[in-house]
Amino acid sequence: MTDIPQEMPEQAADERELTRRRVVVAGGATAVTATAVALGAGLASAQGASEGKGAHGPGRLPTGSPSGTPEACYVLTTETTEGPYYIDADKLRQDVTEDEEGIPLTLRLKVIDAQTCRPVRNAAVDIWHCSALGVYSGYEDMGSGGGGGGGTPPSGEPTDVPTGAPPSGGPGGGGGGHQEPTDDTRYLRGTWRTDRHGFVTFRTVFPGWYRGRTVHIHTKVHVDGTWTDAGYEGGHTCHTGQFFFDEESVLLSAAVAPYSSNTATRTTLDEDTIYPGNGAEGGLLRLRYKKRDIGRGVRAELTMGVAPDETNDSAG
């Protein structure tokens, strides 16, 4: 597996307190109302980076400003369902890969207070997602909803249009009550703390897909707790959401092993019943990779606007 640096260089950004949030991120552009203050533009496109677009807007959206320019204030990042396969495992680590095969993915997130735009420091950020073949650790007995085991990769056209919620008993991740783990595996799951600038970085692999859901990563943000040697204790969950990948990146990944052996019916971003269709605000990641060789690795970034004083655990 190609090595990707565990941490990206952190650049300080000007931070100004705003009493109101009035900037809406949608379709790759920043709309500013008469009462808003735009503090700057998003990241510039890197040469050779992904130019992929999902059905609801470009995959490259403003997500902060590691380059040193001031960033724009954001509305709250959309809350989504937790899904049935969350495990509060207190795996304090940035590299969650373990021995899982797949395209290396560096996921860099920034957590800010959506009202003031100030970074949220020392927050605990959880991520968890399925393997390249659509299997969740802790729930291997539940399979992947039909994926894995030979066959042909998905084409550029939707392979199925879901007519309802994901089937019960399979890892639909789209709702329903919490399922008890079936095994002790915990790959592709982890928790780490945000730094003083609100950044946190994880190393993992590009997720696969399973019947009923588009490619995604789950996340939770916890605040007001205490960091101990045993994990993160107390506090409350201020955000529960999911991150999404544009169609071009998914199709490119599908040609790379082991994704190419995933025969699960693929749900596109446009068909997904969970993705809210509102770009970065809804969790659509900004991706960077070489189009001709996505297998070398992908960098994903997003700024999450949260309400630290609120509780959003979406545990139902």
Side-chain angles (χ1 to χ4, degrees), residues 29 34 42 73 116 129 188 193 247 280 297 308:
C73 195
T116 67
H129 62 86
L188 307 181
R193 70 197 303 170
E247 280 295 296

Side-chain angles (χ1 to χ4, degrees), residues 104-118:
L105 174 68
T106 298
L107 177 64
R108 189 175 193 244
L109 307 169
K110 184 174 185 180
V111 183
I112 64 171
D113 184 320
Q115 183 167 359
T116 67
C117 284
R118 293 185 179 276

